[in-house]
Amino acid sequence: MSAGGMQGIGVSSGAMKRGAFRLTEDEYRRIAGVIPEPLLRKSESIARGPNKTETRFIRDVLEPRQRAGEIQWWRYEPFSIRLAQRTHYRPDFLVWFASGERAFFEIKGAYVWDKALNKPKVCAEMFPCFPFYLAQWKQGRWHIRPLPAREVA
């Protein structure tokens, strides 16, 4: 397509030569007759559900306690919390207990890298009004302990 053909959508021939233009989805549709696949950030690439360990936590802990009336409701990765510029943390679970207490749960397998708990610990420090728990599946059972805020040296 020539630069002259692009002028109908507000692109000058100078911009065309420099490659300094962007098309809106409507403009792209009008030119190409198709809708492009959206360009997504890596973290947004696919809406994923819980992994195997998180699914086991739902099956072994959350659902039985909800049936027993201990848990009012729970949500998987309910939102993303901004910790700093370009740094976010998405808690694995938010649980609302029947008592009214709300808590966040971070789910891990048998081995936990130290740096894997940095964001949850920062979040626990930023929001001391919410308890944070580490639920770890190891040796065939769940080990659930409070997750302390990070130690500041």
Side-chain angles (χ1 to χ4, degrees):
M1 179 174 286
S2 70
M6 295 295 279
Q7 288 179 351
I9 58 171
V11 178
S12 69
S13 59
M16 183 68 179
K17 288 176 189 169
R18 291 188 308 273
F21 68 92
R22 287 186 178 222
L23 299 176
T24 67
E25 189 174 310
D26 289 336
E27 292 165 340
Y28 186 92
R29 247 190 253 149
R30 191 168 48 199
I31 294 168
V34 295
I35 300 173
E37 288 189 30
L39 297 175
L40 300 175
R41 293 185 195 138
K42 185 176 179 182
S43 64
E44 300 170 343
S45 60
I46 299 173
R48 290 181 275 253
N51 63 30
K52 288 180 182 179
T53 308
E54 293 161 343
T55 301
R56 174 177 276 155
F57 184 74
I58 292 169
R59 186 189 64 223
D60 296 349
V61 178
L62 296 178
E63 289 177 344
R65 287 185 172 185
Q66 190 171 24
R67 283 192 301 271
E70 296 175 38
I71 293 175
Q72 190 172 0
W73 64 259
W74 56 269
R75 296 292 180 270
Y76 172 72
E77 292 188 349
F79 44 73
S80 182
I81 299 169
R82 183 173 185 240
L83 303 177
Q85 187 174 356
R86 297 181 67 193
T87 304
H88 294 80
Y89 167 62
R90 184 180 300 268
D92 290 329
F93 291 96
L94 170 61
V95 177
W96 191 328
F97 293 95
S99 65
E101 179 187 20
R102 293 172 203 109
F104 291 105
F105 285 82
E106 183 65 24
I107 311 304
K108 297 292 179 194
Y111 184 80
V112 181
W113 293 92
D114 287 337
K115 78 177 213 175
L117 297 179
N118 285 346
K119 287 182 180 181
K121 286 181 177 184
V122 169
C123 200
E125 180 181 317
M126 291 175 67
F127 300 99
C129 55
F130 292 104
F132 283 77
Y133 293 96
L134 172 64
Q136 191 174 9
W137 177 258
K138 64 181 181 180
Q139 298 171 344
R141 67 183 194 92
W142 286 104
H143 299 264
I144 300 174
R145 64 180 173 89
L147 186 64
R150 66 186 173 143
E151 294 92 27
V152 180

